[in-house]
Amino acid sequence: MDHEADAYRTDLMTITRFVLNEQSKYPESRGDFTILLSNIVLGCKFVCSAVNKGEEQKKLDVLSNDVFVKALVSSGRTSVLVSEEDEEATFVESSKRGKYCVVFDPLDGSSNIDCGVSIGTIFGIYTMEHSDEPTIEDVLKPGNEMVAAGYCMYGSSCMLVLSTGTGVHGFTLDPSLGEFILTHPDIKIPNKGNIYSVNEGNAQNWDGPTTKYVERCKYPKDGSPAKSLRYVGSMVADVHRTLLYGGIFLYPADKKSPNGKLRVLYEVFPMAFLMEQAGGQAFTGKKRALDLVPKKIHERSPIFLGSYDDVEEIKALMVADVHRTLLYGGIFLYPADKKSPNGKLRVLYEVFPMAFLMEQAGGQAFTGKKRALDLVPKKIHERSPIFLGSYDDVEEIKALYAAEENN
């Protein structure tokens, strides 16, 4: 008898036990987050059951939203809720308020219900840093201020993927126990994948860099194997596969949707949060996705997320698109990151010439610390981060950096 294997099978790490273990690392914790997460898990179990019963889409959309709103309000730990299904935010009555704000899509990909494709719930969690009356500004914050994010996928199995900012973990629902069990600890996305995921039906409306990138995926010129196209049309399913196997998921802006199609607060941010926690990247075509500051609760954005090297490749193609920024306005960003803390672009022959042109055309160029043209390079191939484009757009990111320094 394999006693070691039996011990592993009987030592079940439920999601509640996992979160309690994490909570124990913070002696000052009062268990509010654990209670909130338990209510999210309850909502996921309910929706999973309803999906398996074959409820019709319209009814299931309403049902899913109702159950999550009620579960979150009854937790006594939330103040502001933003749902894809509700035009306005929900402000919890004062007697049931807590310190968290939750943004969520109760049933992403619901149009696929009738054909049996995996669908899911996506959520992100913010904390309120004050005890005043909650306002919409409490959720109109950049994704880098989220404290947790996750999704629950309803398909051949029900799987909940969660990050509280210390890695990504996957829990599978065991129907016989009615519990989510840890089955995918510390998920890490491969640095490079062989799959790309995009709706090629929109190809005629894409911009140049996106078109060029997809062409490279299909017809690589460096002798490497072509990438395989896999596209379900349900964000949860496509991102889940990308997270486990690597590659890239793209939903770019196009002529029909110049601001992109996916919602920032409850689609882009949670998935970008998970992807970065797993070692990948998420990029909007102009900046790191989690650095966006939404102005509306249902704001949209383009998104490119997945394996670090794959997203790096499309970011490089966007560099060639500085010309578009010069002609049509907007902002081009190539910031520093964990792998490239000094930035990626060369100061003397990439940053300086483009910054010079941008300023001459009435724009700005900023390194994250200073005016780009004020840099004094110490080496001929020195690198730097760069943010360049329309005056007001660069001014906005300069203000964010100044605020961060003051904090």
Side-chain angles (χ1 to χ4, degrees), residues 260-278:
K261 201 76 181 287
L262 298 180
R263 312 287 186 157
V264 172
L265 276 178
Y266 42 81
E267 291 177 319
V268 171
F269 279 172
M271 294 309 198
F273 187 94
L274 291 167
M275 204 56 70
E276 287 199 3
Q277 286 293 315

Side-chain angles (χ1 to χ4, degrees), residues 156-383:
S156 55
S157 62
C158 179
M159 186 169 180
L160 195 152
V161 176
L162 173 72
S163 175
T164 57
T166 55
V168 181
H169 306 278
F171 304 82
T172 304
L173 182 63
D174 185 327
S176 63
L177 299 174
E179 293 280 4
F180 280 98
I181 308 298
L182 180 64
T183 52
H184 294 67
D186 197 20
I187 296 170
K188 295 294 181 189
I189 186 171
N191 280 337
K192 193 172 181 67
N194 58 8
I195 295 171
Y196 72 103
S197 183
V198 65
N199 182 357
E200 289 208 58
N202 295 325
Q204 63 180 344
N205 296 315
W206 290 342
D207 61 19
T210 304
T211 302
K212 196 169 187 178
Y213 179 77
V214 172
E215 283 298 302
R216 283 188 185 181
C217 290
K218 295 192 285 189
Y219 310 110
K221 294 179 180 177
D222 59 0
S224 60
K227 291 185 186 292
S228 299
L229 170 65
R230 298 286 184 272
Y231 185 70
V232 175
S234 166
M235 189 186 190
V236 170
D238 283 316
V239 171
H240 184 68
R241 182 196 56 248
T242 304
L243 192 62
L244 295 184
Y245 302 144
I248 188 167
F249 168 83
L250 309 85
Y251 213 118
D254 57 36
K255 292 172 185 173
K256 287 186 175 180
S257 304
N259 297 319
K261 201 76 181 287
L262 298 180
R263 312 287 186 157
V264 172
L265 276 178
Y266 42 81
E267 291 177 319
V268 171
F269 279 172
M271 294 309 198
F273 187 94
L274 291 167
M275 204 56 70
E276 287 199 3
Q277 286 293 315
Q281 291 194 75
F283 177 61
T284 67
K286 293 182 178 179
K287 63 170 75 176
R288 175 188 177 219
L290 291 179
D291 289 340
L292 279 173
V293 182
K295 295 179 174 63
K296 298 180 292 185
I297 61 172
H298 298 299
E299 191 169 312
R300 302 175 189 265
S301 172
I303 188 67
F304 306 84
L305 56 80
S307 295
Y308 192 96
D309 292 348
D310 289 319
V311 177
E312 199 67 16
E313 189 176 340
I314 200 159
K315 283 167 72 175
L317 286 172
M318 296 293 178
V319 172
D321 220 36
V322 171
H323 180 65
R324 182 185 62 185
T325 304
L326 193 62
L327 293 182
Y328 304 126
I331 189 169
F332 168 82
L333 305 90
Y334 213 118
D337 57 34
K338 290 176 184 175
K339 287 197 174 181
S340 305
N342 298 319
K344 202 76 181 285
L345 300 182
R346 311 287 185 164
V347 173
L348 279 175
Y349 43 83
E350 291 178 319
V351 171
F352 279 173
M354 294 302 188
F356 185 89
L357 289 169
M358 204 57 71
E359 287 199 3
Q360 289 295 313
Q364 291 194 77
F366 175 62
T367 67
K369 293 181 179 178
K370 62 169 72 178
R371 175 184 176 229
L373 292 180
D374 289 339
L375 279 172
V376 181
K378 295 180 175 61
K379 296 181 290 183
I380 61 172
H381 299 301
E382 190 169 314
R383 301 175 190 267

Side-chain angles (χ1 to χ4, degrees), residues 107-174:
L107 203 60
D108 180 76
S110 59
S111 60
N112 290 312
I113 289 172
D114 293 339
C115 60
V117 167
S118 294
I119 54 179
T121 298
I122 308 172
F123 62 90
I125 302 172
Y126 291 102
T127 53
M128 283 179 57
E129 303 300 335
H130 60 84
S131 56
D132 302 332
E133 193 74 12
T135 70
I136 201 65
E137 300 304 320
D138 290 312
V139 290
L140 292 179
K141 298 192 286 190
N144 55 39
E145 293 189 25
M146 278 188 171
V147 295
Y151 62 80
C152 188
M153 185 175 68
Y154 316 112
S156 55
S157 62
C158 179
M159 186 169 180
L160 195 152
V161 176
L162 173 72
S163 175
T164 57
T166 55
V168 181
H169 306 278
F171 304 82
T172 304
L173 182 63
D174 185 327

